[in-house]
PDB file of all heavy atoms in Angstrom:
ATOM      1  N   LEU A  32       4.800   8.337 -15.766  1.00 98.00           N
ATOM      2  CA  LEU A  32       4.474   9.755 -15.874  1.00 98.00           C
ATOM      3  C   LEU A  32       5.748  10.583 -15.747  1.00 98.00           C
ATOM      4  O   LEU A  32       6.165  10.972 -14.656  1.00 98.00           O
ATOM      5  CB  LEU A  32       3.461  10.158 -14.801  1.00 98.00           C
ATOM      6  CG  LEU A  32       2.051   9.560 -14.946  1.00 98.00           C
ATOM      7  CD1 LEU A  32       1.161  10.015 -13.792  1.00 98.00           C
ATOM      8  CD2 LEU A  32       1.440   9.956 -16.279  1.00 98.00           C
ATOM      9  N   GLN A  33       6.364  10.827 -16.887  1.00 98.00           N
ATOM     10  CA  GLN A  33       7.524  11.702 -16.920  1.00 98.00           C
ATOM     11  C   GLN A  33       7.078  13.149 -16.701  1.00 98.00           C
ATOM     12  O   GLN A  33       5.892  13.467 -16.821  1.00 98.00           O
ATOM     13  CB  GLN A  33       8.248  11.562 -18.256  1.00 98.00           C
ATOM     14  CG  GLN A  33       8.873  10.197 -18.510  1.00 98.00           C
ATOM     15  CD  GLN A  33      10.126   9.952 -17.665  1.00 98.00           C
ATOM     16  OE1 GLN A  33      10.521  10.780 -16.831  1.00 98.00           O
ATOM     17  NE2 GLN A  33      10.764   8.803 -17.877  1.00 98.00           N
ATOM     18  N   PRO A  34       7.994  14.057 -16.362  1.00 98.00           N
ATOM     19  CA  PRO A  34       7.605  15.444 -16.094  1.00 98.00           C
ATOM     20  C   PRO A  34       6.785  16.048 -17.239  1.00 98.00           C
ATOM     21  O   PRO A  34       7.166  15.969 -18.404  1.00 98.00           O
ATOM     22  CB  PRO A  34       8.954  16.159 -15.939  1.00 98.00           C
ATOM     23  CG  PRO A  34       9.894  15.096 -15.485  1.00 98.00           C
ATOM     24  CD  PRO A  34       9.441  13.838 -16.170  1.00 98.00           C
ATOM     25  N   GLY A  35       5.634  16.627 -16.899  1.00 98.00           N
ATOM     26  CA  GLY A  35       4.796  17.309 -17.871  1.00 98.00           C
ATOM     27  C   GLY A  35       3.945  16.413 -18.735  1.00 98.00           C
ATOM     28  O   GLY A  35       3.094  16.908 -19.480  1.00 98.00           O
ATOM     29  N   GLU A  36       4.124  15.103 -18.674  1.00 98.00           N
ATOM     30  CA  GLU A  36       3.352  14.183 -19.501  1.00 98.00           C
ATOM     31  C   GLU A  36       2.099  13.716 -18.765  1.00 98.00           C
ATOM     32  O   GLU A  36       2.067  13.660 -17.544  1.00 98.00           O
ATOM     33  CB  GLU A  36       4.203  12.976 -19.901  1.00 98.00           C
ATOM     34  CG  GLU A  36       5.401  13.331 -20.773  1.00 98.00           C
ATOM     35  CD  GLU A  36       6.219  12.102 -21.157  1.00 98.00           C
ATOM     36  OE1 GLU A  36       5.861  10.988 -20.707  1.00 98.00           O
ATOM     37  OE2 GLU A  36       7.211  12.252 -21.886  1.00 98.00           O
ATOM     38  N   GLY A  37       1.079  13.362 -19.504  1.00 97.00           N
ATOM     39  CA  GLY A  37      -0.133  12.826 -18.903  1.00 97.00           C
ATOM     40  C   GLY A  37      -1.067  13.916 -18.413  1.00 97.00           C
ATOM     41  O   GLY A  37      -0.895  15.106 -18.696  1.00 97.00           O
ATOM     42  N   ASP A  38      -2.057  13.501 -17.651  1.00 98.00           N
ATOM     43  CA  ASP A  38      -3.103  14.401 -17.176  1.00 98.00           C
ATOM     44  C   ASP A  38      -2.554  15.354 -16.110  1.00 98.00           C
ATOM     45  O   ASP A  38      -1.890  14.918 -15.163  1.00 98.00           O
ATOM     46  CB  ASP A  38      -4.260  13.577 -16.595  1.00 98.00           C
ATOM     47  CG  ASP A  38      -5.506  14.403 -16.365  1.00 98.00           C
ATOM     48  OD1 ASP A  38      -5.607  15.501 -16.942  1.00 98.00           O
ATOM     49  OD2 ASP A  38      -6.381  13.942 -15.610  1.00 98.00           O
ATOM     50  N   LEU A  39      -2.854  16.644 -16.267  1.00 98.00           N
ATOM     51  CA  LEU A  39      -2.434  17.674 -15.314  1.00 98.00           C
ATOM     52  C   LEU A  39      -3.680  18.475 -14.927  1.00 98.00           C
ATOM     53  O   LEU A  39      -3.907  19.577 -15.433  1.00 98.00           O
ATOM     54  CB  LEU A  39      -1.369  18.584 -15.929  1.00 98.00           C
ATOM     55  CG  LEU A  39      -0.098  17.898 -16.463  1.00 98.00           C
ATOM     56  CD1 LEU A  39       0.756  18.897 -17.221  1.00 98.00           C
ATOM     57  CD2 LEU A  39       0.687  17.255 -15.323  1.00 98.00           C
ATOM     58  N   PRO A  40      -4.518  17.948 -14.035  1.00 98.00           N
ATOM     59  CA  PRO A  40      -5.845  18.525 -13.807  1.00 98.00           C
ATOM     60  C   PRO A  40      -5.886  19.772 -12.939  1.00 98.00           C
ATOM     61  O   PRO A  40      -6.925  20.426 -12.855  1.00 98.00           O
ATOM     62  CB  PRO A  40      -6.604  17.377 -13.128  1.00 98.00           C
ATOM     63  CG  PRO A  40      -5.547  16.604 -12.410  1.00 98.00           C
ATOM     64  CD  PRO A  40      -4.334  16.680 -13.291  1.00 98.00           C
ATOM     65  N   GLY A  41      -4.808  20.141 -12.279  1.00 98.00           N
ATOM     66  CA  GLY A  41      -4.839  21.271 -11.361  1.00 98.00           C
ATOM     67  C   GLY A  41      -4.897  22.609 -12.074  1.00 98.00           C
ATOM     68  O   GLY A  41      -4.645  22.730 -13.280  1.00 98.00           O
ATOM     69  N   ASP A  42      -5.231  23.657 -11.302  1.00 98.00           N
ATOM     70  CA  ASP A  42      -5.168  25.020 -11.834  1.00 98.00           C
ATOM     71  C   ASP A  42      -3.740  25.396 -12.220  1.00 98.00           C
ATOM     72  O   ASP A  42      -3.526  26.239 -13.096  1.00 98.00           O
ATOM     73  CB  ASP A  42      -5.694  26.011 -10.790  1.00 98.00           C
ATOM     74  CG  ASP A  42      -7.145  25.771 -10.430  1.00 98.00           C
ATOM     75  OD1 ASP A  42      -7.950  25.527 -11.352  1.00 98.00           O
ATOM     76  OD2 ASP A  42      -7.476  25.810  -9.224  1.00 98.00           O
ATOM     77  N   HIS A  43      -2.784  24.814 -11.535  1.00 98.00           N
ATOM     78  CA  HIS A  43      -1.362  25.016 -11.822  1.00 98.00           C
ATOM     79  C   HIS A  43      -0.674  23.660 -11.831  1.00 98.00           C
ATOM     80  O   HIS A  43      -1.154  22.697 -11.215  1.00 98.00           O
ATOM     81  CB  HIS A  43      -0.694  25.893 -10.760  1.00 98.00           C
ATOM     82  CG  HIS A  43      -1.245  27.279 -10.672  1.00 98.00           C
ATOM     83  ND1 HIS A  43      -0.743  28.327 -11.408  1.00 98.00           N
ATOM     84  CD2 HIS A  43      -2.247  27.786  -9.915  1.00 98.00           C
ATOM     85  CE1 HIS A  43      -1.413  29.427 -11.122  1.00 98.00           C
ATOM     86  NE2 HIS A  43      -2.339  29.119 -10.216  1.00 98.00           N
ATOM     87  N   TYR A  44       0.453  23.588 -12.505  1.00 98.00           N
ATOM     88  CA  TYR A  44       1.306  22.403 -12.502  1.00 98.00           C
ATOM     89  C   TYR A  44       2.668  22.792 -11.957  1.00 98.00           C
ATOM     90  O   TYR A  44       3.276  23.772 -12.405  1.00 98.00           O
ATOM     91  CB  TYR A  44       1.454  21.836 -13.914  1.00 98.00           C
ATOM     92  CG  TYR A  44       2.526  20.767 -14.042  1.00 98.00           C
ATOM     93  CD1 TYR A  44       2.496  19.624 -13.248  1.00 98.00           C
ATOM     94  CD2 TYR A  44       3.573  20.909 -14.950  1.00 98.00           C
ATOM     95  CE1 TYR A  44       3.477  18.647 -13.355  1.00 98.00           C
ATOM     96  CE2 TYR A  44       4.556  19.937 -15.081  1.00 98.00           C
ATOM     97  CZ  TYR A  44       4.509  18.804 -14.275  1.00 98.00           C
ATOM     98  OH  TYR A  44       5.483  17.832 -14.370  1.00 98.00           O
ATOM     99  N   LEU A  45       3.149  22.022 -10.971  1.00 98.00           N
ATOM    100  CA  LEU A  45       4.458  22.271 -10.377  1.00 98.00           C
ATOM    101  C   LEU A  45       5.322  21.031 -10.564  1.00 98.00           C
ATOM    102  O   LEU A  45       5.116  20.013  -9.890  1.00 98.00           O
ATOM    103  CB  LEU A  45       4.321  22.608  -8.890  1.00 98.00           C
ATOM    104  CG  LEU A  45       5.621  22.918  -8.136  1.00 98.00           C
ATOM    105  CD1 LEU A  45       6.357  24.095  -8.764  1.00 98.00           C
ATOM    106  CD2 LEU A  45       5.320  23.208  -6.661  1.00 98.00           C
ATOM    107  N   THR A  73      -6.112  24.706  -6.991  1.00 98.00           N
ATOM    108  CA  THR A  73      -5.491  23.389  -6.977  1.00 98.00           C
ATOM    109  C   THR A  73      -4.165  23.430  -7.727  1.00 98.00           C
ATOM    110  O   THR A  73      -3.984  24.209  -8.668  1.00 98.00           O
ATOM    111  CB  THR A  73      -6.397  22.332  -7.627  1.00 98.00           C
ATOM    112  OG1 THR A  73      -6.706  22.723  -8.972  1.00 98.00           O
ATOM    113  CG2 THR A  73      -7.682  22.167  -6.832  1.00 98.00           C
ATOM    114  N   VAL A  74      -3.263  22.569  -7.285  1.00 98.00           N
ATOM    115  CA  VAL A  74      -1.954  22.448  -7.928  1.00 98.00           C
ATOM    116  C   VAL A  74      -1.680  20.964  -8.155  1.00 98.00           C
ATOM    117  O   VAL A  74      -1.808  20.155  -7.228  1.00 98.00           O
ATOM    118  CB  VAL A  74      -0.828  23.059  -7.072  1.00 98.00           C
ATOM    119  CG1 VAL A  74       0.496  23.023  -7.836  1.00 98.00           C
ATOM    120  CG2 VAL A  74      -1.156  24.474  -6.633  1.00 98.00           C
ATOM    121  N   THR A  75      -1.335  20.617  -9.373  1.00 98.00           N
ATOM    122  CA  THR A  75      -0.846  19.267  -9.658  1.00 98.00           C
ATOM    123  C   THR A  75       0.665  19.290  -9.497  1.00 98.00           C
ATOM    124  O   THR A  75       1.362  20.065 -10.171  1.00 98.00           O
ATOM    125  CB  THR A  75      -1.245  18.834 -11.074  1.00 98.00           C
ATOM    126  OG1 THR A  75      -2.679  18.748 -11.150  1.00 98.00           O
ATOM    127  CG2 THR A  75      -0.654  17.471 -11.405  1.00 98.00           C
ATOM    128  N   ILE A  76       1.151  18.459  -8.593  1.00 99.00           N
ATOM    129  CA  ILE A  76       2.547  18.507  -8.156  1.00 99.00           C
ATOM    130  C   ILE A  76       3.206  17.161  -8.409  1.00 99.00           C
ATOM    131  O   ILE A  76       2.694  16.117  -7.980  1.00 99.00           O
ATOM    132  CB  ILE A  76       2.650  18.842  -6.652  1.00 99.00           C
ATOM    133  CG1 ILE A  76       1.906  20.147  -6.327  1.00 99.00           C
ATOM    134  CG2 ILE A  76       4.102  18.914  -6.201  1.00 99.00           C
ATOM    135  CD1 ILE A  76       1.780  20.407  -4.836  1.00 99.00           C
ATOM    136  N   ASP A  77       4.324  17.172  -9.092  1.00 99.00           N
ATOM    137  CA  ASP A  77       5.123  15.958  -9.215  1.00 99.00           C
ATOM    138  C   ASP A  77       6.015  15.814  -7.988  1.00 99.00           C
ATOM    139  O   ASP A  77       6.698  16.769  -7.590  1.00 99.00           O
ATOM    140  CB  ASP A  77       5.984  15.990 -10.477  1.00 99.00           C
ATOM    141  CG  ASP A  77       5.212  15.611 -11.720  1.00 99.00           C
ATOM    142  OD1 ASP A  77       4.121  15.020 -11.585  1.00 99.00           O
ATOM    143  OD2 ASP A  77       5.685  15.903 -12.834  1.00 99.00           O
ATOM    144  N   ARG A 150      -6.298  14.084  -5.724  1.00 98.00           N
ATOM    145  CA  ARG A 150      -5.934  12.973  -6.609  1.00 98.00           C
ATOM    146  C   ARG A 150      -4.488  12.595  -6.377  1.00 98.00           C
ATOM    147  O   ARG A 150      -3.625  13.466  -6.214  1.00 98.00           O
ATOM    148  CB  ARG A 150      -6.139  13.387  -8.079  1.00 98.00           C
ATOM    149  CG  ARG A 150      -6.042  12.249  -9.076  1.00 98.00           C
ATOM    150  CD  ARG A 150      -6.356  12.749 -10.478  1.00 98.00           C
ATOM    151  NE  ARG A 150      -6.290  11.673 -11.450  1.00 98.00           N
ATOM    152  CZ  ARG A 150      -6.299  11.856 -12.772  1.00 98.00           C
ATOM    153  NH1 ARG A 150      -6.368  13.083 -13.265  1.00 98.00           N
ATOM    154  NH2 ARG A 150      -6.231  10.841 -13.588  1.00 98.00           N
ATOM    155  N   ARG A 286       2.165  11.608  -8.563  1.00 98.00           N
ATOM    156  CA  ARG A 286       1.676  12.910  -9.028  1.00 98.00           C
ATOM    157  C   ARG A 286       0.439  13.245  -8.199  1.00 98.00           C
ATOM    158  O   ARG A 286      -0.552  12.517  -8.214  1.00 98.00           O
ATOM    159  CB  ARG A 286       1.340  12.874 -10.515  1.00 98.00           C
ATOM    160  CG  ARG A 286       0.726  14.171 -11.025  1.00 98.00           C
ATOM    161  CD  ARG A 286       0.682  14.204 -12.551  1.00 98.00           C
ATOM    162  NE  ARG A 286       2.047  14.323 -13.084  1.00 98.00           N
ATOM    163  CZ  ARG A 286       2.359  14.137 -14.372  1.00 98.00           C
ATOM    164  NH1 ARG A 286       1.421  13.794 -15.242  1.00 98.00           N
ATOM    165  NH2 ARG A 286       3.614  14.287 -14.775  1.00 98.00           N
ATOM    166  N   THR A 288      -2.571  15.959  -6.950  1.00 98.00           N
ATOM    167  CA  THR A 288      -3.350  17.170  -7.160  1.00 98.00           C
ATOM    168  C   THR A 288      -3.984  17.548  -5.835  1.00 98.00           C
ATOM    169  O   THR A 288      -4.757  16.774  -5.259  1.00 98.00           O
ATOM    170  CB  THR A 288      -4.423  16.971  -8.243  1.00 98.00           C
ATOM    171  OG1 THR A 288      -3.775  16.646  -9.482  1.00 98.00           O
ATOM    172  CG2 THR A 288      -5.238  18.243  -8.431  1.00 98.00           C
ATOM    173  N   ALA A 419       3.166  25.953 -15.436  1.00 33.00           N
ATOM    174  CA  ALA A 419       1.983  26.061 -16.283  1.00 33.00           C
ATOM    175  C   ALA A 419       0.798  26.562 -15.477  1.00 33.00           C
ATOM    176  O   ALA A 419       0.741  26.377 -14.293  1.00 33.00           O
ATOM    177  CB  ALA A 419       1.662  24.717 -16.908  1.00 33.00           C
TER     178      ALA A 419
END
Side-chain angles (χ1 to χ4, degrees):
L32 292 178
Q33 295 287 3
E36 296 180 358
D38 193 18
L39 304 171
D42 298 317
H43 298 270
Y44 169 56
L45 181 59
T73 57
V74 185
T75 296
I76 305 171
D77 279 343
R150 191 176 181 192
R286 176 168 291 168
T288 299

